[in-house]
Structure formats: C-alpha cells, structure tokens
Amino acid sequence: MALEHSRLLAASLTVALVGTSCSTPNTGAPAGDQTAGAGESPAPSPAPSPTGQPQGQGQGTQTLDQQRRAALVAKYLEVAQGLRQDGKLDAALLELSKARELSPENEQVLALINSIRQEQGAPGAGAIGYGDEMLRQRQIAEDRARAEVTEKLQNAQKAMAASNFAGAVDELKQAQLVIQVRDEVAWNDLPAQVKSLLADATQKLDSQTKEKLASEAAQQAQRLREERQAQEAHKRAHVEALLLEAQKEFSKHSFTHARELALEAQEADPSNAIAQDMVHTATKAARDKANEDYLGQKAKAYRQMLESDEEVKTPYTDVLSMDMKTWERAQHRAQQREEVEDVDPKDAAVRELLRTELVGKRTYTEENGGYLDVISNLKSTTKVEIITTPAGREAITQETLKMVIDLVNPIPVENFLNLMVQKSQGLAWTVRNGVVIIGSKAEASGAMISKVHEVKDLVFKRTTFLPPSIKDVPGSDAPKDETPRTGSEADEKTAFIDIADLMNNVKEATDPKYWEGEGGGEIRTEESGFLVVKASLAMQRQVEKVLADIRSFATPVVTIDSKFLTISRNFLQEVGVDFRGLGGTGNKGTAASLDDVTNGLQSNASRGGDNGGTGDPAGNPVSGAFYNDGGDGDVRARTENFFTSPLGNVLTPNGGFTGGWTFINDLQFSMIVRAIEKQDNAEVVNSQLLSVLDRQRGHVAVVNQTAYVRDFDVEVAQASFIADPKVDVIQDGIVLDVLPVIQQDRKYIILNLTPTVAELTRPIPTFTTSLAGSTLPVTLQLPNLTVTSFSTTARVPDGGTVLLGGLREVLTRERRAEIPLLASLPLISFLFKQEGTADENSSLMVMVTARITDVRDIEGK
C-alpha cells in the first residue's frame, strides 16, 4: 500500500506541475494564432531556440502543431460522441481524456466530460479537477488492467478444463504480457497465478501435443497401411484379371496376345509365378504356332501351285465366267449419276388423283365435243383442276379439234387426258404446281437439261479379220493370194452403227417433232464418240432407253463351237505261203540258185527277200525247193506271191506272223508262212471355240507349216554344176471362217460359215532326177494336199447344232495270188496261194454349235 500511495503522490505532483505550466500566460503569441475558445487560458509561449534560431522560424512550426492538435481534438470529440451514443461511457471518457491532454482548457471537451460523469452518477462531477481526474482515470486503467488479466486467467482455466491447453497458453501469455507492460499497476498475486497456471498449461500442452502427434502418426500409419492394402488388393485383382484374360486367349490359340497380357501381369507383379510361367508357355506356344503357320502357309502355297498346274491341264468349257465380287465392284464403278427430279407433294397427289378418279359414262359428238367444252365439263364433273395454256388454246383453235367419243365404261382421268392429246400432234399435258396443264409439247416437257451420252461402244470401228488360205499348194505356177499364210486384217473397218445413223435412230425412236423445233430438243454428235443431248428430263430418259435397246443387240457375243469329227473303220487280212530262200550263208540246205531269174533292174522277178536281203551274196535268187537224184540233173522250184501295190491305204501288211520250215533230205525245201490281220477304229475330234461379236467376222485356224524342196536352181561355177534348192512352205490343218448375225428375237442366229480341212500326205512323195551335164542325183518333193471345204449359210437356234457336211470315203479290196492248178487241189491248195482283204471306211463331219452369250444373262443368274 505504501508503494501505491507513493505512486499516487508522484502522479499528483506531476499533474500539479503540468497544470502550473499550462496556466502560464503566453504573451508572445499573436492574436490570430490563439485557438482556445472562450474561457480557455492562452497557450504557453514556446521556449527559445537552443541554437539561436530566429523567432520568425519557430512561429511557423508552432502554427502547424496547433493545427494538428486541433484536428486530433476534433477527432477525439467525434469518436467520444459516437461512443456516448452507443452507451459506452467509459470508452468515451477515455477518448475525451486524450483530447484533454492535447487541449486541457477546451470547454467542449470539459463540458462533454462533465455530462458523461453526470450520466454515470459520479458525485461532484462538475467540480472535479484535472489531477483528480487523472488519478481517477489511472485507477480506472489499473482496475481495467487487473480485470483484463483476471478475465484472461479465468479464460485460461476454462480452456484447461476443456483440455484446450493451447488456448490456455495463449490467454496466459497475453495476460503475462499485460503484466509486464503495465508494471505500475498493483497486480497483487495475479502474476504468480498466471505464471503457475502458465507452467501447468505449458506442460499439459506439451503432453497433449506429444499425444496428438503420436495419434496422428498412428492414424497416418494406419491410413498408409490401408492404402497399401488397397493398392495391393487392386494390383492382385488386376493381375488376376490379366492372367484370366491371358488364359482365355491361350485357350483360343491366340498365343501372342496371351503373352502380352502375361507380360503386363508380370510387370505389375514380378514375383507372380503364374505370370512367369504363362509368359514362358505363351512364348513357346507362339513360336511353335508361328512354325506351324509357316509350314501351313508353305503347304498351302505348294497346294495352290499344284492346283494351278492341274487347272492348266484342265480345259475350260465355260465360254464366259464371272467373279461376282469383281463384277459388283465394276458395276459400282460404272454407275452413272442419274438426274433425279424433285417431285412436289402437290403434284404427286394430283397424279395419284388422276389415276384413281374416274370419268363416267358419257358421249361427245361433233356438236358438244369441242376441246375447250370437254375440258370445262371434265373440270366440273371431276375433282381435277385443269388449265389450258395460250399455246394449247391456239393449237386447239387452229386444228379445230373435236372430241368424238362414246364412253361405255368409266376410265381414269389420266387415260382420258391421253386420249385427248393423242388427237393432236402438238398437244401434251403435265402436272405442275398442283394443277393439270394442257399446252404445247415444249411447255409440257419441263426444264431443259444437257447431258452427254457416251456411245463409243456402238460407233467403234471394228476390224475384219481375214482367215489364212490353205487350199492351194504353193509354187511358182500356183495362183497368188494376197492373204498371208497366217491371215490378215481387211483394209476397211466397219462399225456396228455410224454415229450419224445413231443420232437419226434416236430421234426417230423418241419423237421426231420434238427435235424439229416443237419440243425445243437438240442432239449434237461428237466424232470422238459422244452424243450431247439437250432435252427435258423425261426425254433424256427416253434417249437412255433407246441407247440401252441398241446396246442389247450390239454387246452380245456369239460363241461358235466347231467340231471336226473324223471317224475311220479299217480292216486288213492277208494269209499266204511261199517256198523260197533255200540254202545260202546262214541257211540250211544246199545252195541252189536260179541263175536265169534276178530281182534287179532287168527283170525284177523277185521281192529281193533273199539276195536283196539275207540270201546268198552271189546276187541270184535262191530256190525254195531242190531235188538232185545224182544222175542227169536236179529239180529246182520257187513260189513267191506278192503285189507291187499295197493292199490298203491306211493299214500295211507288215507285222503279223511269219514262220519258216526247212526240210533237209534227198528232197530239200524251205517254206515261209505269213499271216496277218489288222483292225483300226479311230475317232478324231478337233474342237475349237470362237467368240465374236454380233455381225463381226472372225476365224479360228489350226494349221501345220511344213517346209519342202520345191525346185532347184542350177549354178555354174568353174565348169561345176551346183544345185541351189528352192524351199517353200505348205500348210495343212483346219480353218473356220464365220460371220454371225443375231436376229431381232434373239432366238435364232444366222451363220455364214466357211470351214476348210486340208490334209498333207506324209511323208511327202519325192522325185529324183539329175542335173544337166552331171551324174549327181537331186531329189524334189511333190506334196499331196487333200482339201475339204464348205461354204454355206445356216440359221440355227440359240444353242443349236448344225451338221455342215460329211465326206465319206469307203475302200473295199480283195486280192488273191496263187499257183494255177496247184491252188485248186483240195487240202494242199493253201500251200500255193496268198489271199488278202482290206476294208477301209473314213468319214469327216463338221458340226457347229452357236450360242448367244450375254453378260446380263449371267448377272441375272
């Protein structure tokens, strides 16, 4: 308490000194600088400048300070008045004390202080002095400070009770700071309480913080464990899903995909044994499958190669085959953009009405059958709105058209309108803007459009192919033929139709008057193969239809299947016995030659089977029977039955059975038995397929070219004669020349056919001669050519076959060679004769089958 009284005493002395200094009169200040109000003492004069500063400079500074003080006092007053109005009297007194410190004599401040004191009920408020007020304010400040500290101490205790140790520490630290700052306040035991409670709160806060950190660490660890467990579970689920999908792909033999899935599972879980095993297994399976696929592809390639080889060996019989996928692509590529006419719904409804609305029974005569009257009557009796254009009225008037008709049965309005416009060449009707318009053809045709139609396929110049000529034997005296041996092309090329004729046909087939000016249509030709048509859309469609009809006759292909059939039936039989060839080198028996009979150029009495072949080298024929009794002489005999000409043309008597029997005794003979029988049945078919366009000439030729020596030129050099041969080529084989024409019904075909069959005799016969003045022989070849040719015109149905002609050759020959009298003896006549029979039959037939092949027929199938 002694300390508190000492402080109060010091404060009182300080207040007294301040009051004394403030009451000192300021006589040096000018009258204009006095800011005190009425009743205020003048402001004290400023102290002299310690640096000897002139008095004028200090006056300026004093004026600024007074202005600042006055502004602050006004501000404090304003704030105090606001606080007073809000009922905060203590706060208002505090603001007023600040203002009074700046201006102690300010009456407004003092008056406001007294008013607030009176409101607070303070006794003697009006007579309180400044010192007392200061002491009182100081006491109030100390009480407020102690109350503030006490309040913070209580808040800290409440916070600690609520375990809010951090808040308690904050409150206690603030209280401790207040105590440290206001050391002049008599705090009693509050500092000790604050300090003790702060230490306790700090300790408990540390413990609480440690527990909180431990709890948060535990929670963080638990959360991490849970997240790790969730990640592990997700990874396991992902790995299991990958392995399951890999197993499915593996079961489908998709080993590469299974390996990729297993690798992904292994990357996610490197320690997974199933994933590792799946990777190795899928890799091995994929490698094995790749090898199998490679082997399979190679085997497939080899199989395709073998099939291709076999396919080459197999002839095709289909004339025209199509790959439908390729054809569909070609059709899509060939589609042309068609002009589509937008149809007004009103016009469509009117056209439907024209088809359904009926014109009842009625009769029109010369008296009531005027066109305009009929149109008016038609409008009134039907639901159709009909308009006649001025051009239509003019045509009706000029032609004085009458509708004379007796309808027995109802007909649609559309048919009745067609009957009406058919009466005139210049009238037509159409539907436009929801009404029926009867006018000229140009008005009814609609808007004109230009379109280019390609007709190259129709006007293309086709080449005429000339067949080779194999009818004649070549030679210097043979007739000359301008056609080469292998055929040629005609100088003039012809088209299916000329482009000018095509244009005229299109005009005639549609409407000639439409193109002559009435319809306004125009057709222009281009030499490159185009028709430029300017017409309405309906007329354009008619032009396309006409061109399609023409193409239906120009595009079909006629396939000619020609068969040259050669049928031969040949028979040969020859039986004979000869006595010849006895003795000689290598033979049994005594050599007994017939000296006066030879087989040389003199008599040509023998075949030469002995001395010309294996007989005695002496050069004379050897007898076939020999008997020598050792006396007067011997008996020698020989029989040999032969002919200089062959028995048949096709079969030769070579081969068969040849046997010999030699008897050696006093009588010696050698017998040769020959027996042969041959039969030859042959059918040779030479078939060719030739496909040509309608009215297009074509040919097929299968010929052999054989070189031969036709003649010699003699060259003389140094008294020597040299033979220079002239070599020529002769052709034989088959040539078919054909020109088909498809009739309009496409059911029959007219064929101009010229088949030729030429056969060369082989080997080519020769002729040997010598050059003049030289003994060296030269050989010429004389070919023998057998030619069979037909020229005819035949009409065959589609797919029909016609037999053009047949060449039949029959050879029947019987011959007999025998020894007179001996051949007539019974039983032994067989030993003295030779008999032969030949029967040869050959037939050549040419059969031609014609078929119309159209790609549209195959497309339809």
Side-chain angles (χ1 to χ4, degrees):
M1 293 297 294
L3 179 60
E4 184 178 355
H5 290 303
S6 299
R7 290 177 178 175
L8 290 175
L9 182 59
S12 299
L13 292 175
T14 302
V15 172
L17 290 175
V18 173
T20 304
S21 62
C22 291
S23 62
T24 303
N26 186 5
T27 59
D33 293 338
Q34 302 296 327
T35 59
E40 289 187 355
S41 59
S45 60
S49 174
T51 59
Q53 182 178 335
Q55 187 69 22
Q57 294 177 2
Q59 291 177 357
T61 304
Q62 184 67 23
T63 300
L64 292 175
D65 183 64
Q66 289 177 358
Q67 292 177 358
R68 182 180 64 79
R69 287 172 177 269
L72 291 174
V73 168
K75 181 65 176 178
Y76 290 148
L77 283 172
E78 181 181 359
V79 174
Q81 289 176 357
L83 292 174
R84 179 185 179 187
Q85 292 177 0
D86 295 337
K88 300 178 181 180
L89 300 179
D90 292 338
L93 288 175
L94 182 60
E95 295 294 326
L96 290 174
S97 64
K98 295 177 182 179
R100 189 173 180 180
E101 290 178 359
L102 296 176
S103 181
E105 301 299 332
N106 192 309
E107 294 181 356
Q108 187 176 1
V109 173
L110 295 176
L112 189 56
I113 290 174
N114 290 331
S115 298
I116 295 174
R117 288 293 185 185
Q118 291 177 2
E119 291 177 2
Q120 290 180 344
I128 187 171
Y130 180 75
D132 295 337
E133 181 63 24
M134 292 300 294
L135 291 175
R136 182 178 174 279
Q137 290 294 333
R138 187 179 185 85
Q139 184 65 37
I140 292 173
E142 290 180 358
D143 294 340
R144 185 181 294 111
R146 283 193 293 273
E148 183 180 358
V149 172
T150 302
E151 182 181 3
K152 292 186 178 296
L153 186 61
Q154 294 174 354
N155 292 338
Q157 292 174 350
K158 293 179 181 179
M160 290 182 67
S163 299
N164 185 8
F165 303 112
V169 170
D170 291 339
E171 292 289 340
L172 292 173
K173 285 184 177 181
Q174 292 180 10
Q176 195 176 39
L177 181 61
V178 173
I179 292 172
Q180 292 176 358
V181 173
R182 305 290 297 273
D183 56 350
E184 75 279 1
V185 179
W187 296 105
N188 299 328
D189 60 346
L190 288 177
Q193 295 180 11
V194 171
K195 182 177 181 181
S196 175
L197 191 58
L198 179 59
D200 187 18
T202 303
Q203 181 182 2
K204 292 182 177 180
L205 178 60
D206 292 341
S207 301
Q208 186 184 39
T209 302
K210 291 179 180 179
E211 293 177 358
K212 184 177 180 181
L213 291 177
S215 176
E216 290 179 353
Q219 293 178 359
Q220 183 69 17
Q222 180 65 23
R223 186 166 59 254
L224 291 176
R225 283 194 298 272
E226 293 176 354
E227 291 179 356
R228 191 179 302 109
Q229 291 175 358
Q231 291 177 357
E232 289 293 334
H234 178 71
K235 183 175 69 174
R236 286 195 300 272
H238 181 60
V239 170
E240 291 176 358
L242 290 175
L243 292 177
L244 181 61
E245 189 66 23
Q247 292 174 0
K248 292 181 180 179
E249 295 297 326
F250 192 90
S251 62
K252 297 177 182 178
H253 292 186
S254 181
F255 303 118
T256 303
H257 193 196
R259 180 178 178 275
E260 293 175 356
L261 294 173
L263 282 175
E264 187 177 353
Q266 188 179 16
E267 291 178 359
D269 187 5
S271 61
N272 194 302
I274 299 177
Q276 295 175 0
D277 182 67
M278 178 63 72
V279 170
H280 296 307
T281 305
T283 302
K284 184 177 181 302
R287 188 181 301 112
D288 295 341
K289 185 175 182 295
N291 294 333
E292 292 178 1
D293 292 344
Y294 175 77
L295 295 176
Q297 291 175 0
K298 284 297 182 183
K300 183 179 180 180
Y302 288 133
R303 185 169 63 251
Q304 289 178 351
M305 182 181 66
L306 294 176
E307 290 176 355
S308 300
D309 295 340
E310 293 298 327
E311 186 179 5
V312 171
K313 299 176 183 178
T314 304
Y316 279 101
T317 57
D318 293 340
V319 176
L320 179 62
S321 61
M322 295 172 55
D323 183 2
M324 294 312 299
K325 292 184 178 180
T326 306
W327 177 250
E328 290 176 1
R329 184 168 63 253
Q331 286 287 85
H332 179 72
R333 182 172 58 249
Q335 285 179 352
Q336 297 180 354
R337 183 180 177 183
E338 297 182 355
E339 298 290 340
V340 179
E341 184 180 8
D342 295 333
V343 180
D344 189 353
K346 296 181 180 179
D347 296 348
V350 172
R351 289 188 179 276
E352 182 64 23
L353 180 62
L354 293 177
R355 287 190 291 268
T356 56
E357 183 73 14
L358 298 178
V359 178
K361 298 179 181 180
R362 60 188 65 190
T363 301
Y364 294 108
T365 61
E366 289 287 344
E367 289 75 13
N368 62 350
Y371 257 49
L372 298 179
D373 296 335
V374 172
I375 292 173
S376 177
N377 181 260
L378 196 63
K379 289 171 57 178
S380 61
T381 56
T382 62
K383 301 178 182 179
V384 181
E385 184 67 24
I386 303 175
I387 297 176
T388 306
T389 64
R393 291 177 178 272
E394 182 179 358
I396 293 172
T397 303
Q398 290 180 353
E399 299 181 20
T400 61
L401 297 176
K402 298 287 185 178
M403 190 67 183
V404 179
I405 189 173
D406 185 10
L407 287 180
V408 179
N409 296 317
I411 62 174
V413 178
E414 182 180 14
N415 296 345
F416 192 83
L417 291 174
N418 291 332
L419 292 175
M420 291 186 65
V421 297
Q422 288 176 1
K423 300 290 185 179
S424 173
Q425 296 293 332
L427 287 180
W429 68 272
T430 186
V431 177
R432 194 177 301 138
N433 299 326
V435 297
V436 176
I437 298 176
I438 297 178
S440 63
K441 291 186 176 181
E443 293 174 336
S445 62
M448 293 289 184
I449 60 175
S450 296
K451 193 172 182 180
V452 179
H453 299 269
E454 183 179 357
V455 292
K456 292 181 180 180
D457 55 333
L458 298 177
V459 301
F460 174 73
K461 298 290 185 179
R462 301 178 182 179
T463 303
T464 300
F465 298 98
L466 302 178
S469 177
I470 60 173
K471 297 181 179 180
D472 302 320
V473 175
S476 59
D477 298 331
K480 299 295 183 181
D481 191 354
E482 296 180 357
T483 304
R485 289 191 177 99
T486 57
S488 64
E489 300 177 0
D491 296 335
E492 184 180 359
K493 295 183 179 182
T494 59
F496 178 80
I497 187 172
D498 188 70
I499 191 168
D501 297 336
L502 178 62
M503 179 183 67
N504 294 332
N505 289 342
V506 170
K507 290 182 178 179
E508 292 294 333
T510 53
D511 188 354
K513 292 189 176 181
Y514 181 85
W515 308 103
E516 293 174 359
E518 293 185 3
E522 179 183 357
I523 299 180
R524 188 175 72 256
T525 62
E526 296 289 342
E527 292 299 329
S528 55
F530 295 95
L531 285 181
V532 182
V533 181
K534 181 181 179 181
S536 63
L537 182 58
M539 184 56 68
Q540 293 281 6
R541 291 173 178 170
Q542 293 185 28
V543 171
E544 292 176 355
K545 184 177 182 302
V546 172
L547 293 177
D549 292 340
I550 296 176
R551 284 191 176 95
S552 65
F553 291 96
T555 56
V557 175
V558 179
T559 302
I560 309 299
D561 183 4
S562 61
K563 291 182 176 61
F564 292 80
L565 178 61
T566 302
I567 302 175
S568 59
R569 300 288 184 266
N570 303 314
F571 177 79
L572 182 142
Q573 185 183 63
E574 187 174 12
V575 179
V577 177
D578 289 336
F579 291 91
R580 58 185 175 85
L582 179 66
T585 303
N587 295 319
K588 301 297 182 181
T590 303
S593 62
L594 302 175
D595 296 336
D596 57 346
V597 179
T598 66
N599 67 341
L601 295 177
Q602 290 82 2
S603 60
N604 197 20
S606 175
R607 274 182 167 176
D610 293 323
N611 60 351
T614 61
D616 190 354
N620 296 325
V622 180
S623 64
F626 173 73
Y627 176 74
N628 188 0
D629 59 357
D632 295 336
D634 54 16
V635 178
R636 304 179 184 186
R638 173 189 183 89
T639 66
E640 189 172 5
N641 303 306
F642 72 96
F643 295 93
T644 58
S645 62
L647 178 61
N649 295 331
V650 178
L651 301 178
T652 62
N654 299 330
F657 172 78
T658 300
W661 181 44
T662 302
F663 180 78
I664 305 298
N665 206 330
D666 293 340
L667 175 63
Q668 302 176 12
F669 62 87
S670 177
M671 181 177 66
I672 298 176
V673 180
R674 296 186 68 256
I676 182 173
E677 179 175 325
K678 290 185 178 181
Q679 184 175 359
D680 180 22
N681 298 325
E683 293 183 3
V684 180
V685 178
N686 194 331
S687 178
Q688 297 86 26
L689 283 176
L690 175 64
S691 296
V692 294
L693 291 173
D694 183 25
R695 299 197 305 171
Q696 175 72 24
R697 185 179 181 183
H699 69 270
V700 58
V702 181
V703 297
N704 299 316
Q705 293 184 344
T706 304
Y708 71 101
V709 179
R710 178 172 57 86
D711 198 358
F712 286 91
D713 286 338
V714 180
E715 300 290 341
V716 180
Q718 297 180 358
S720 298
F721 296 93
I722 301 174
D724 184 13
K726 292 183 179 181
V727 179
D728 208 339
V729 176
I730 188 171
Q731 296 186 134
D732 67 329
I734 297 172
V735 176
L736 176 65
D737 185 17
V738 62
L739 174 64
V741 177
I742 300 175
Q743 291 190 332
Q744 76 282 355
D745 54 3
R746 296 169 61 89
K747 293 170 58 178
Y748 293 92
I749 308 171
I750 297 177
L751 299 175
N752 289 334
L753 295 166
T754 304
T756 302
V757 180
E759 184 178 0
L760 178 66
T761 302
R762 290 182 175 83
I764 299 177
T766 60
F767 172 73
T768 302
T769 185
S770 61
L771 297 176
S774 174
T775 59
L776 296 177
V778 293
T779 302
L780 302 177
Q781 291 180 303
L782 305 177
N784 183 16
L785 190 65
T786 303
V787 179
T788 302
S789 180
F790 306 93
S791 295
T792 183
T793 299
R795 180 173 181 264
V796 297
D798 183 17
T801 302
V802 60
L803 178 63
L804 297 182
L807 176 62
R808 185 174 182 181
E809 183 178 356
V810 178
L811 171 63
T812 301
R813 178 177 295 170
E814 294 182 1
R815 67 184 182 183
R816 177 186 177 107
E818 61 182 17
I819 305 299
L821 300 178
L822 295 178
S824 301
L825 297 176
L827 299 179
I828 63 173
S829 61
F830 173 75
L831 302 175
F832 305 102
K833 66 180 178 181
Q834 178 179 343
E835 293 179 333
T837 301
D839 189 2
E840 297 179 355
N841 294 273
S842 64
S843 298
L844 174 63
M845 292 179 288
V846 181
M847 293 176 291
V848 177
T849 302
R851 294 184 182 89
I852 299 175
T853 303
D854 197 341
V855 69
R856 291 175 296 181
D857 298 339
I858 301 178
E859 181 185 5
K861 295 179 182 178

